């Protein structure tokens, strides 16, 4: 596998000739809607198949998997063009192997809202160990607020089973008004009776819905509640462990020191929380965010600082951590005005399409390991930071370098093939 940066004068066909691979594979792997719409500076994943199969009449994906001693799930992973669909046509080419050598197995998780499209969900599920549905909230009496459409929630859980993916329940301090409340978090954490009610309702929901565990995400909870929160996570984890083969995951704010100031950070004691849960998500994104100044969403230099600190809290054991990886960017107008500017989010594929539309080159910032471009529309200057194959590769490379358990993608509402192709080329997915 190669990550190629488009140069002036390149075409999909000239690149395909140079690497000796089908142009159709480059087009599908990189979600190119038009082969002619390449952007100078755009990154492309170039995979080299070493074994392929031409579908014959009547063949099914399960028969092909059996013939080559592999699994349907693996065929979905190595053939993203299938889009998680087992409908084959005669003469279709199925990749069986590429020249990649996965270094080891990793855990993957991705977050979806109940309104995720069927297409995006089914394209993503084959690459996931876990899928987390965002989010259950809490009322003051300890009852839970469901994440929207119950039928949609159940459909996601059912689909995950088809692909061998384990669904996780997400629990946060979301209120009925649709906002996150640190006051509610404090109320729950300081009231053992309410905690017991929350945990009882969580366990009932897990059993009734068929979840395989719980992802806990209490943010902005304050230093005074740090110990209480770790105790709450420990109680949930103990209840799940006593009930069967369930997993507990806890989300951690991106700290770089133990005593880091700020409401986002002070309530998250890494050492206590990682010991209380099976896995911990490092929320290593949102340095560049909607209301902040323009910059990369997850600059690798900042991500690395968080990971390095996290390892000091587990005596160097990275297997407790999933690395958070963003699947989006932002489009800022310039000049940035604090308190006034708000950048809309943009998908990674939309960003490249926009660069092509406005005639911009894509640049790559080496310090943050992230792509960006600038343009002017209606007299207004813009700068767009987003993720591409190079930035995703930089983050995934930390999994091996720091021996992390795996990665968690926020979020999988829009399928971005680079995330998943790179993951399956670099690692075996548990």
């Amino acid at each position: 596998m190669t990550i190629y940066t488009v140069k002036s004068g390149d075409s999909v066909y000239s690149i395909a000739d140079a690497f000796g691979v089908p142009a159709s594979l480059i087009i599908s792997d990189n979600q190119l809607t038009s082969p002619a719409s390449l952007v100078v500076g755009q990154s492309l994943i170039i995979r080299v198949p070493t074994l392929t199969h031409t579908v014959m009449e009547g063949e099914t994906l399960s028969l092909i998997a059996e013939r080559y001693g592999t699994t349907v799930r693996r065929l979905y992973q190595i053939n993203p063009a299938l889009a998680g669909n087992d409908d084959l046509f005669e003469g279709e080419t199925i990749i069986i192997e590429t020249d990649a050598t996965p270094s080891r197995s990793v855990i993957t998780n991705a977050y979806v809202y109940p309104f995720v499209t069927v297409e995006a969900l089914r394209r993503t599920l084959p690459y996931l160990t876990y899928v987390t549905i965002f989010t259950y909230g809490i009322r003051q009496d300890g009852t839970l607020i469901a994440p929207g459409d119950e039928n949609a929630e159940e459909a996601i859980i059912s689909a995950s089973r088809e692909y061998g993916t384990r669904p996780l329940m997400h629990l946060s301090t979301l209120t009925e008004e649709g906002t996150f409340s640190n006051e509610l978090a404090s109320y729950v954490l300081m009231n053992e009776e309410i905690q017991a009610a929350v945990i009882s309702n969580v366990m009932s929901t897990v059993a009734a819905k068929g979840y395989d565990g719980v992802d806990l995400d209490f943010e902005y909870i304050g230093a005074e509640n740090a110990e209480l929160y770790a105790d709450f996570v420990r109680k949930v984890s103990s209840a799940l462990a006593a009930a069967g083969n369930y997993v507990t995951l806890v989300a951690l704010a991106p700290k770089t020191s133990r005593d880091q100031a700020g409401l986002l950070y002070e309530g998250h004691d890494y050492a206590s929380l990682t010991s209380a849960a099976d896995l911990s998500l490092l929320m290593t994104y949102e340095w560049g965010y909607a209301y902040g100044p323009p910059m990369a969403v997850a600059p690798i230099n900042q991500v690395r600082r968080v990971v390095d600190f996290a390892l000091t809290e587990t005596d160097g054991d990275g297997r407790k951590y999933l690395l958070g990886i963003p699947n989006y960017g932002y489009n800022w107008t310039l000049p940035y005005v604090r308190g006034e500017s708000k950048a809309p989010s943009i998908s990674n594929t939309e960003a490249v399409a926009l660069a092509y539309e406005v005639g911009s080159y894509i640049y790559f910032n080496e310090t943050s390991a992230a792509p960006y471009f600038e343009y002017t529309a209606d007299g207004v200057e813009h700068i767009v930071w987003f993720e591409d194959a190079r930035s995703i590769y930089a983050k995934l490379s930390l999994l091996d370098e720091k021996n992390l358990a795996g990665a968690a993608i926020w979020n999988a509402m829009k399928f971005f093939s680079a995330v998943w192709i790179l993951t399956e080329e670099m690692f075996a997915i548990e």
Side-chain angles (χ1 to χ4, degrees):
M1 178 198 71
T2 300
I3 298 176
Y4 179 78
T5 302
V6 174
K7 299 176 178 60
S8 180
D10 279 341
S11 72
V12 169
Y13 303 101
S14 67
I15 296 169
D17 285 343
F19 285 93
V21 298
S24 59
L25 183 61
I26 296 176
I27 292 168
S28 63
D29 278 357
N30 294 282
Q31 297 173 278
L32 303 180
T33 55
S34 170
S37 60
L38 294 182
V39 179
V40 173
Q42 176 182 0
S43 66
L44 299 175
I45 293 175
I46 312 295
R47 292 191 300 155
V48 180
T50 55
L51 179 62
T52 62
H53 175 83
T54 302
V55 177
M56 296 182 288
E57 184 179 0
E59 280 191 316
T60 64
L61 211 55
S62 59
L63 285 174
I64 295 170
E66 183 178 359
R67 173 175 175 175
Y68 290 99
T70 187
T71 64
V72 171
R73 178 177 167 90
R74 175 60 183 153
L75 291 180
Y76 281 140
Q77 291 173 1
I78 205 169
N79 291 277
L82 291 174
N85 191 328
D86 62 1
D87 290 335
L88 304 179
F89 59 86
E90 186 177 356
E92 183 175 3
T93 298
I94 302 296
I95 299 173
I96 308 299
E97 295 176 2
T98 69
D99 63 354
T101 304
S103 61
R104 63 184 176 93
S105 63
V106 297
I107 294 167
T108 57
N109 182 27
Y111 294 84
V112 296
Y113 290 88
F115 54 88
V116 62
T117 66
V118 173
E119 179 188 10
L121 180 66
R122 290 187 174 272
R123 294 188 75 175
T124 305
L125 284 173
Y127 300 97
L128 298 179
T129 311
Y130 302 109
V131 61
T132 301
I133 304 173
F134 192 87
T135 176
Y136 274 84
I138 302 173
R139 299 184 182 92
Q140 283 204 342
D141 62 359
T143 56
L144 305 182
I145 305 165
D149 185 346
E150 183 177 7
N151 291 334
E153 177 192 5
E154 292 177 353
I156 294 170
I157 295 170
S158 177
S160 71
R161 298 297 183 193
E162 293 179 35
Y163 293 93
T165 301
R166 301 179 66 186
L168 298 183
M169 174 186 179
H170 189 270
L171 183 70
S172 68
T173 53
L174 186 76
T175 66
E176 289 189 285
E177 289 71 37
T179 58
F180 297 94
S181 170
N182 61 321
E183 291 84 2
L184 175 63
S186 295
Y187 180 78
V188 171
L189 295 175
M190 292 181 178
N191 190 317
E192 290 192 6
E193 183 178 346
I194 299 301
Q195 280 189 52
V198 170
I199 294 171
S200 175
N201 287 320
V202 165
M203 296 303 297
S204 296
T205 302
V206 166
K209 299 288 188 180
Y211 282 110
D212 278 357
V214 178
D215 183 336
L216 297 165
D217 184 9
F218 284 28
E219 300 178 33
Y220 302 99
I221 60 177
E224 69 278 7
N225 289 318
E227 186 175 343
L228 291 173
Y229 183 42
D231 286 340
F232 175 72
V233 173
R234 194 170 291 109
K235 290 174 185 176
V236 174
S237 184
S238 296
L240 288 167
N245 183 29
Y246 296 103
V247 65
T248 306
L249 193 154
V250 64
L252 304 178
K255 296 175 68 168
T256 56
S257 65
R258 182 171 296 176
D259 57 354
Q260 187 167 342
L263 184 59
L264 176 64
Y265 311 103
E266 293 168 357
H268 285 183
D269 183 317
Y270 273 35
S272 297
L273 290 171
T274 54
S275 67
D278 298 306
L279 290 167
S280 298
L281 163 64
L282 298 173
M283 293 190 288
T284 39
Y285 37 79
E286 289 289 277
W287 276 269
Y289 64 103
Y291 297 97
M295 64 184 299
V297 175
I300 194 65
N301 53 326
Q302 298 294 350
V303 171
R304 182 178 291 276
R305 291 180 65 209
V306 174
V307 173
D308 286 342
F309 164 69
L311 292 174
T312 68
E313 297 292 277
T314 54
D315 296 325
D317 183 6
R319 293 169 296 179
K320 294 289 290 186
Y321 295 112
L322 299 179
L323 183 69
I325 297 177
N327 182 33
Y328 59 94
Y330 288 106
N331 184 345
W332 284 270
T333 54
L334 300 175
Y336 166 77
V337 180
R338 184 173 296 277
E340 296 182 17
S341 297
K342 180 184 178 182
S345 64
I346 186 170
S347 77
N348 302 316
T349 53
E350 289 168 346
V352 174
L354 177 60
Y356 177 77
E357 179 184 335
V358 299
S360 293
Y361 286 6
I362 294 172
Y363 300 94
F364 191 76
N365 182 279
E366 296 292 342
T367 301
S368 59
Y372 70 96
F373 64 92
E374 298 172 309
Y375 70 99
T376 301
D378 298 325
V380 178
E381 295 181 8
H382 293 250
I383 185 169
V384 178
W385 288 86
F386 62 106
E387 300 291 327
D388 70 356
R390 294 166 294 186
S391 65
I392 296 296
Y393 179 80
K395 296 174 184 62
L396 288 175
S397 294
L398 282 179
L399 303 189
D400 264 351
E401 181 184 337
K402 304 296 184 179
N403 195 31
L404 305 183
I409 307 302
W410 178 265
N411 55 57
M413 297 300 288
K414 294 187 177 180
F415 185 78
F416 182 46
S417 58
V419 172
W420 306 114
I421 291 175
L422 286 168
T423 302
E424 70 84 15
E425 288 275 296
M426 297 171 69
F427 306 101
I429 298 170
E430 294 184 9

